[in-house]
Amino acid sequence: MNAPLPRTRQHLPKRTVSIIGTGSHVPERVLTNAELEKMVETSDEWIVTRTGIRERRIAGPEETTSEMAAKAAMAALENAGIGAEEIDLILVATVTPDMFFPSTACFVQAKIGATRAACFDLSAACSGFLYALEVAQQFITSHTYSTILVIGADKLSSIVDWKDRNTCVLFGDGAGAAVLRHRAGGHGVVATHMGSNGNLADILHIPGGGCLNPVTSQNFDQRLNTIRMNGKETYKQAVTAMLSAAQAVLEESGLRFEDLACIIPHQANLRIIEAIADRMKLPLEKFMINLDRFGNTSAAAVAIALDEANRTGRMQVGEYVLLVVFGGGLTWASSVIQW
Ligand code: ACO
């Protein structure tokens, strides 16, 4: 006769997952539009009217992605009121890891002393933070882990072509973090939606540096290791994907746009956010916007905005918040959280 199967976690009820703390970090160095005017043929007026960006933060040589991520993580732990030794898993969403391996999450672990944690990185470009949030959610819901540190961090200045005015004016560096934990009877993530379209990889990508176009002096001379973007197509896809992702997650949550207290979108371009607000028939004031100060920080953008919304009291307990993102891949994601 077979021995009885061990009792698995699947017998346990699903759990609500709450964000119990947030944190962020940006480098001190500010790069203004006026400075960019001296680097490429552009103007403050062009950048502000086409993007809404006025300045961005640029990390120095010692300020790696893991360095910024660790600082954001420490702020999130302090905000949550817990110690690093309580973390079971560290997830870092990034497209600019310190190295191909070890993972940036492992570097963060060493920097913050989260000795009990398992660590790995996740790649979904600008959508990475919400992808990581959903992965973390599943681990907690299934009782695999109790406390997870989710980080979105990128040093895009290291992969920008500083001679290409089409892209170099858009991006900045930074990191944002959130601590996730089950909170009995508490509010938390209501629903999450994720999507991808690999057929449109070409409109926003870095062709070199991987195994397809490895680092050779020829590939380097052609700047294959820097961001390539079809701006117009990216803009169109971003508006469509973010809107449908928002609609999908609201439907799953049984909510309407007017039920939302705050919308925290990917911080790429003010015109994209305005277009979405218009289609949702919501006032722009409901949207958390900080891209004027930080530009597009990729996976960090929505995480930094979430932290700012948290610390400035934009979200009250019990209110519904929508996070919605878009990035290379193409990838997109949305999440409704009852704060
Ligand atoms: N300064 C001055 N002129 C510029 C600049 C610049 N920095 N960049 C481009 N131009 C020029 C172009 O060369 C073009 O000149 P041309 O007509 O002589 O060829 C002209 O301005 C118009 O260019 P467009 O591409 O038509 O400008 P558009 O209005 O589309 O705005 C922009 C460009 C801001 C990039 C816009 O397309 C956009 O925001 N796209 C989405 C980008 C984005 O969000 N990317 C990231 C999302 S995903 C992620 O976060 C990774």
Side-chain angles (χ1 to χ4, degrees):
M1 203 173 84
N2 291 337
L5 286 171
R7 187 178 164 82
T8 69
R9 290 182 288 252
Q10 281 158 5
H11 292 88
L12 298 167
K14 284 199 163 188
R15 307 195 287 184
T16 317
V17 180
S18 294
I19 293 177
I20 62 163
T22 64
S24 60
H25 175 81
V26 290
E28 268 185 32
R29 164 84 167 101
V30 176
L31 179 67
T32 63
N33 290 349
E35 286 174 274
L36 280 165
E37 286 176 359
K38 295 178 194 138
M39 295 162 62
V40 288
E41 202 183 324
T42 190
S43 67
D44 175 55
E45 195 265 336
W46 193 97
I47 301 171
V48 172
T49 53
R50 302 283 177 132
T51 72
I53 300 166
R54 294 180 185 276
E55 58 186 44
R56 67 288 291 142
R57 301 299 181 94
I58 302 294
E62 308 291 310
E63 290 176 289
T64 61
T65 297
S66 74
E67 195 62 30
M68 294 187 287
K71 285 180 176 150
M74 293 305 285
L77 291 174
E78 195 184 340
N79 188 241
I82 69 163
E85 69 288 348
E86 294 180 59
I87 302 166
D88 299 308
L89 175 69
I90 300 175
L91 262 172
V92 176
T94 186
V95 289
T96 48
D98 288 18
M99 300 178 188
F100 273 142
F101 75 90
S103 69
T104 301
C106 281
F107 288 125
V108 172
Q109 175 189 36
K111 282 174 176 154
I112 68 173
T115 44
R116 281 185 49 242
C119 304
F120 68 96
D121 288 0
L122 181 153
S123 171
C126 302
S127 306
F129 183 75
L130 282 200
Y131 267 63
L133 210 64
E134 172 64 358
V135 172
Q137 227 239 144
Q138 295 298 336
F139 274 127
I140 295 174
T141 305
S142 64
H143 299 256
T144 308
Y145 293 122
S146 294
T147 307
I148 302 183
L149 177 61
V150 175
I151 305 171
D154 267 309
K155 184 174 177 175
L156 286 190
S157 63
S158 67
I159 52 165
V160 160
D161 180 351
W162 289 103
K163 293 196 166 89
D164 176 16
R165 69 175 184 173
N166 291 294
T167 52
C168 77
V169 302
L170 304 174
F171 302 111
D173 301 330
V179 181
L180 270 66
R181 186 178 259 186
H182 163 61
R183 194 155 47 187
H187 303 138
V189 181
V190 179
T192 301
H193 171 85
M194 302 192 297
S196 310
N197 182 359
N199 289 316
L200 294 179
D202 279 0
I203 69 168
L204 183 57
H205 68 304
I206 300 175
C211 65
L212 181 62
N213 299 302
V215 183
T216 60
S217 52
Q218 195 188 4
N219 288 343
F220 187 78
D221 290 345
Q222 290 174 33
R223 297 201 173 86
L224 293 192
N225 58 317
T226 59
I227 296 176
R228 305 290 167 92
M229 184 183 72
N230 175 338
K232 272 202 191 321
E233 196 50 38
T234 304
Y235 182 98
K236 271 195 280 179
Q237 294 292 337
V239 173
T240 310
M242 286 168 77
L243 193 65
S244 60
Q247 282 162 339
V249 81
L250 279 190
E251 200 171 308
E252 211 180 316
S253 310
L255 296 170
R256 298 157 305 165
F257 283 125
E258 50 271 38
D259 296 324
L260 299 169
C262 181
I263 297 104
I264 307 180
H266 177 43
Q267 307 286 314
N269 183 316
L270 183 59
R271 289 191 302 159
I272 292 176
I273 298 173
E274 285 171 343
I276 295 167
D278 189 54
R279 286 165 176 76
M280 290 178 177
K281 297 189 173 37
L282 289 179
L284 204 55
E285 294 72 51
K286 280 210 172 185
F287 287 72
M288 175 68 215
I289 298 169
N290 63 14
L291 60 84
D292 50 321
R293 287 172 283 132
F294 303 128
N296 180 351
T297 54
S298 187
V302 79
I304 295 172
L306 174 68
D307 182 46
E308 191 170 329
N310 183 21
R311 286 169 195 269
T312 56
R314 289 280 300 252
M315 308 169 295
Q316 301 304 316
V317 173
E319 287 183 339
Y320 290 105
V321 182
L322 168 71
L323 288 85
V324 59
V325 293
F326 174 83
L330 301 177
T331 54
W332 55 86
S334 53
S335 193
V336 168
I337 296 168
Q338 190 178 22
W339 199 250

